[in-house]
Amino acid sequence: MAGEIPPAQPPPGLPPRPLLWRHRSNPLRRRTDRLRSWIGLGVLIAVLAVAPVTAVLVGDAARGHYEETARHQTQTRYETDATLTRDAPRHPEPGSDEEKHTRYPVEVRVVTREGRTRTTRAEVRPGLSAGHTVRIWITGDGEATEPPLTPQEVRSRTVGWALLSALGVALTGAAAHALTALVLRRRDLARWDTAWAETAPRWTSPT
């Protein structure tokens, strides 16, 4: 329609440039471009500074927690003989790799340190018959449980929490940078629309 101002069309995006390139003198560089580049550089420096510290602090806290957990488990759990009260299922083929890793929960009978006999459920290999004896870990009450954490498990869990905390810092920094870039881009587009509304009538003429 004659006299109608065409919609604003922002200039096509330029190929990505290295971060430091944005700080070079450029007559077309906007204030928001400088702000975006400085924010990106600041976020990068902050992540590089905070991530290692966070990893050390979280790793130290996790190590203390799991070492205390391992000590408590060692004091309250012990290994003992358990006798199957019924046959275990025989589903996997005997001698197969599946049989080596498959375990079935079966009712077993144990005697606690206090001399009390009680029943609990333990994971055993397939094909064991009633009366067979297996070694299991139990609590002071005679409940079947997992063995205490080993030093290797404590280390692996500590490293895992340290890496997760460092990754969390990096993701937080990336999200903050992306959100800031989005806000600045919307601001640029709004200013572009305003400038185009003022400039377009000079480029158009009624027909």
Side-chain angles (χ1 to χ4, degrees), residues 22 28-38 184 188:
R22 297 180 181 178
L28 298 180
R29 185 177 60 184
R30 298 162 297 189
R31 183 181 305 173
T32 52
D33 293 331
R34 291 195 299 270
L35 182 59
R36 185 182 297 110
S37 64
W38 281 114
L184 292 177
D188 288 341

Side-chain angles (χ1 to χ4, degrees), residues 36-150:
R36 185 182 297 110
S37 64
W38 281 114
I39 290 176
L41 182 59
V43 169
L44 177 61
I45 294 174
V47 168
L48 293 178
V50 174
V53 176
T54 303
V56 170
L57 294 177
V58 172
D60 186 65
R63 180 179 56 80
H65 168 74
Y66 287 117
E67 286 181 348
E68 178 61 30
T69 299
R71 282 193 295 268
H72 177 73
Q73 291 176 344
T74 301
Q75 295 170 357
T76 58
R77 302 178 181 184
Y78 59 96
E79 195 175 18
T80 187
D81 290 333
T83 304
L84 276 68
T85 62
R86 61 186 62 185
D87 296 342
R90 298 178 177 271
H91 294 161
E93 181 180 351
S96 65
D97 290 337
E98 184 181 357
E99 183 189 28
K100 298 178 182 178
H101 302 287
T102 301
R103 295 293 182 270
Y104 290 110
V106 177
E107 188 177 83
V108 297
R109 183 173 59 253
V110 297
V111 179
T112 66
R113 286 176 173 173
E114 291 76 18
R116 294 185 295 112
T117 301
R118 61 159 302 170
T119 59
T120 184
R121 296 185 69 82
E123 301 283 337
V124 302
R125 299 193 313 273
L128 297 182
S129 58
H132 192 94
T133 300
V134 295
R135 297 288 289 179
I136 67 171
W137 284 86
I138 63 173
T139 65
D141 295 331
E143 287 288 342
T145 187
E146 297 293 328
L149 292 175
T150 65

